[in-house]
Amino acid sequence: MAEQGADVSALLSEGIQTTSKNPKAALQSFQKVIQLSGDEVSIKERQAAFWNTACIFLKFGDIDKAQRSLENAIRLGLDIEEARYGSDPKFLPLQGSSQKMEEELWRYAKQLTSAGVKEAPLRPELQEVADKLDLDEGQDMRIISIARRVAITTFATFALIAGIAAVLFPGLRSPEPEAEEYVYIDSEETS
């Protein structure tokens, strides 16, 4: 296990050292750390690998992948202030292809940590869909909540269609059984 820990440190160091010369090779080093099993990598090392992956994607200008990597690091309990401003050499500096992208990713990181990852803000493409659907800001976007709303809407739609069809086309209803005529037989008549 000590050798494996040394390998993880070596991968992280290799990634840090090659970031400026060969960011693709650095990304591969960090992704190797991410793919290692849980008993081979400490939480702190995995946090560093995800943070560094986010920094590399930010250098490439891929904000979506940078956000997903950052989400994973925060889910693992990363202190983003320490990662950005601390002196730990395992963490790359947050430098994107533009100042605007750096600020956007940092705002996203702050939102994630203040709201908690489970209540993270929607990614831009999902926010566009939510805006088109005119969802409230506080609308629950979990899969179960969405499925519940779809089921209720579907049931209400079918009920409305059935009601309109019953009014407009009364002949479509099932015919009521005709009442049978019964003859009353009095006991005096039978004698």
Side-chain angles (χ1 to χ4, degrees):
M1 179 104 169
E3 286 182 9
Q4 293 169 340
D7 291 342
V8 172
S9 294
L11 284 170
L12 288 172
S13 295
E14 177 186 324
I16 296 285
Q17 292 168 0
T18 59
T19 297
S20 59
K21 297 177 205 161
N22 190 350
K24 287 185 180 180
L27 180 63
Q28 289 175 344
S29 293
F30 299 135
Q31 288 176 333
K32 284 179 185 175
V33 173
I34 290 168
Q35 293 172 348
L36 292 172
S37 68
D39 58 340
E40 296 176 292
V41 183
S42 73
I43 296 290
K44 186 83 167 173
E45 290 168 329
R46 199 173 300 276
Q47 290 171 350
F50 275 118
W51 169 269
N52 294 341
T53 301
C55 291
I56 298 288
F57 282 128
L58 193 62
K59 279 183 181 271
F60 293 155
D62 192 337
I63 192 76
D64 290 333
K65 288 181 181 175
Q67 287 176 340
R68 283 187 292 212
S69 295
L70 191 60
E71 286 173 16
N72 288 323
I74 292 171
R75 275 192 187 96
L76 292 171
L78 176 70
D79 180 348
I80 60 170
E81 298 287 335
E82 180 185 325
R84 186 170 189 188
Y85 302 116
S87 59
D88 191 336
K90 289 181 185 164
F91 294 97
L92 284 174
L94 186 66
Q95 296 174 336
S97 58
S98 72
Q99 182 69 27
K100 181 181 176 189
M101 289 183 77
E102 286 176 37
E103 291 170 2
E104 183 179 344
L105 186 63
W106 187 245
R107 264 193 319 273
Y108 185 74
K110 298 292 257 180
Q111 289 174 340
L112 285 175
T113 55
S114 66
V117 177
K118 291 180 182 174
E119 299 173 18
L122 295 176
R123 294 202 323 248
E125 64 272 13
L126 295 178
Q127 186 61 50
E128 289 175 20
V129 172
D131 291 341
K132 288 178 185 174
L133 295 173
D134 195 30
L135 296 175
D136 295 334
E137 187 78 21
Q139 188 100 28
D140 192 354
M141 292 300 293
R142 292 177 298 172
I143 297 295
I144 190 73
S145 298
I146 293 170
R148 187 179 303 127
R149 287 193 300 271
V150 167
I152 290 169
T153 304
T154 303
F155 177 76
T157 302
F158 282 123
L160 180 64
I161 291 171
I164 291 172
V167 170
L168 294 177
F169 307 106
L172 291 179
R173 286 191 236 161
S174 299
E176 294 180 16
E178 294 181 19
E180 295 181 27
E181 290 188 30
Y182 295 99
V183 178
Y184 178 73
I185 302 175
D186 191 8
S187 62
E188 292 177 15
E189 293 178 8
T190 56
S191 0

